[in-house]
Amino acid sequence: MKQYIRSLGYRDRLDNSYKTRICIGVLLFCLWFLPGLIENIRDYANYSAYLGDSPDVESGFAFFAVFDMNLRLDDIFTALGITLPCVTMLAGICMYYSTVVSQGKFSGWNRYLRTLPVTVDMRAKAMLWSRSIIFLFCTLGVSAVSTAIAWITIGRGFALKVLFAALLTSLLVESCDMLVDAFVTRWILRYDRKNAIAISLEGGIGSLLLAYTVGWFSPGQLSWEGYADGVPKSIQWIFIFAVLIAINVGGYKLLKVNLKRQYE
């Protein structure tokens, strides 16, 4: 059974072209956000050097330098702790289940699966396992890159805050995508193959909007102000983590329910 699950998951990842999608996501980040990130890091370093040589940081240009330096720090935190993880996660796992099902419907792979000794439980576990691998790959990779850049350019304390934000952003985006994807997969199984891929792409927009909305209403709004004094300790985070876990469990169960239609 494990061999079937691994084999199915491997094929699903190939059909999903997740590596290509991640590369495209990173490329988009480099084109749109990297120039601004580099400029903010350079300006922050210049302000820090000036303030280090200034005897009085409460008057004159030094006062505005502190203000501008904090703005640059906010922008750097947003780029490394939120934007980069969000782009990478959406590129890697966005609508994974629905993409796999729609590709299988287009190629005929879904029909062929009915001739194999593959149960609904095996198919669902294979898709969950494959998606989890991509999630871990994206999360660990982007968190390591963001933390390393933050540590080298700003410092250890700032890097740890960026690390927590990157991990949280990855989990939040993954959970929102899981919720939307679980419902969209059911619709794709009902439509013909010509409309399946289009529905999956439209679902990706809904996943992005949901992730943005949830992030906006999170404690501290996932912004620098929520992390400036250290890792947030609000009781609200416990509730949010519980909800995210429940979404992932419910999304997997809903996937199994949806796949029963394929094997009927």
Side-chain angles (χ1 to χ4, degrees):
M1 180 175 178
K2 290 183 178 180
Q3 292 180 346
Y4 270 112
I5 292 175
R6 291 174 181 174
S7 178
L8 291 172
Y10 176 73
R11 179 184 173 85
D12 290 342
R13 291 195 298 275
L14 290 179
D15 288 346
N16 194 260
S17 302
Y18 76 98
K19 292 181 179 179
T20 302
R21 292 167 57 176
I22 293 174
C23 291
I24 293 175
V26 173
L27 177 61
L28 291 176
F29 176 85
C30 292
L31 292 176
W32 290 347
F33 301 103
L34 187 59
L37 174 62
I38 294 175
E39 181 179 359
N40 286 322
I41 292 176
R42 184 180 64 247
D43 290 344
Y44 176 83
N46 292 335
Y47 285 129
S48 297
Y50 171 81
L51 293 173
D53 298 333
S54 177
D56 184 7
V57 297
E58 298 296 335
S59 61
F61 178 75
F63 175 82
F64 295 100
V66 172
F67 178 78
D68 288 338
M69 186 176 68
N70 289 334
L71 289 180
R72 299 295 181 270
L73 198 64
D74 189 6
D75 292 339
I76 295 171
F77 176 85
T78 301
L80 295 178
I82 300 175
T83 305
L84 180 57
C86 182
V87 170
T88 304
M89 199 59 56
L90 285 172
I93 67 169
C94 186
M95 309 306 292
Y96 180 80
Y97 294 151
S98 60
T99 301
V100 168
V101 172
S102 61
Q103 290 285 1
K105 177 173 287 192
F106 190 81
S107 65
W109 173 248
N110 290 352
R111 293 193 301 272
Y112 180 70
L113 278 176
R114 296 192 184 96
T115 67
L116 301 178
V118 177
T119 64
V120 174
D121 187 62
M122 292 170 60
R123 187 72 183 105
K125 286 183 178 179
M127 295 179 71
L128 176 65
W129 173 250
S130 184
R131 189 179 189 274
S132 299
I133 290 176
I134 300 175
F135 169 64
L136 290 175
F137 174 76
C138 291
T139 301
L140 296 178
V142 74
S143 298
V145 171
S146 295
T147 304
I149 295 176
W151 196 315
I152 294 173
T153 58
I154 307 299
R156 176 177 176 274
F158 181 79
L160 293 177
K161 298 168 186 176
V162 167
L163 173 61
F164 181 82
L167 293 174
L168 177 62
T169 300
S170 298
L171 178 60
L172 187 148
V173 173
E174 183 273 338
S175 300
C176 292
D177 180 77
M178 170 73 87
L179 180 62
V180 175
D181 199 8
F183 287 100
V184 173
T185 301
R186 184 175 184 84
W187 298 335
I188 287 178
L189 288 170
R190 293 180 175 180
Y191 286 87
D192 57 35
R193 65 181 188 177
K194 293 182 180 179
N195 296 321
I197 296 178
I199 295 173
S200 180
L201 294 175
E202 293 169 0
I205 299 176
S207 178
L208 174 61
L209 293 176
L210 181 61
Y212 178 82
T213 302
V214 174
W216 178 260
F217 287 104
S218 296
Q221 299 179 1
L222 288 181
S223 63
W224 168 244
E225 287 79 4
Y227 299 84
D229 296 327
V231 176
K233 300 179 178 61
S234 172
I235 191 69
Q236 292 175 278
W237 289 109
I238 299 178
F239 174 75
I240 288 179
F241 282 126
V243 171
L244 295 181
I245 293 174
I247 288 175
N248 281 272
V249 174
Y252 172 66
K253 291 184 178 296
L254 184 57
L255 174 66
K256 293 178 64 174
V257 172
N258 294 339
L259 288 177
K260 287 183 179 180
R261 178 180 177 85
Q262 179 180 331
Y263 291 90
E264 288 177 350

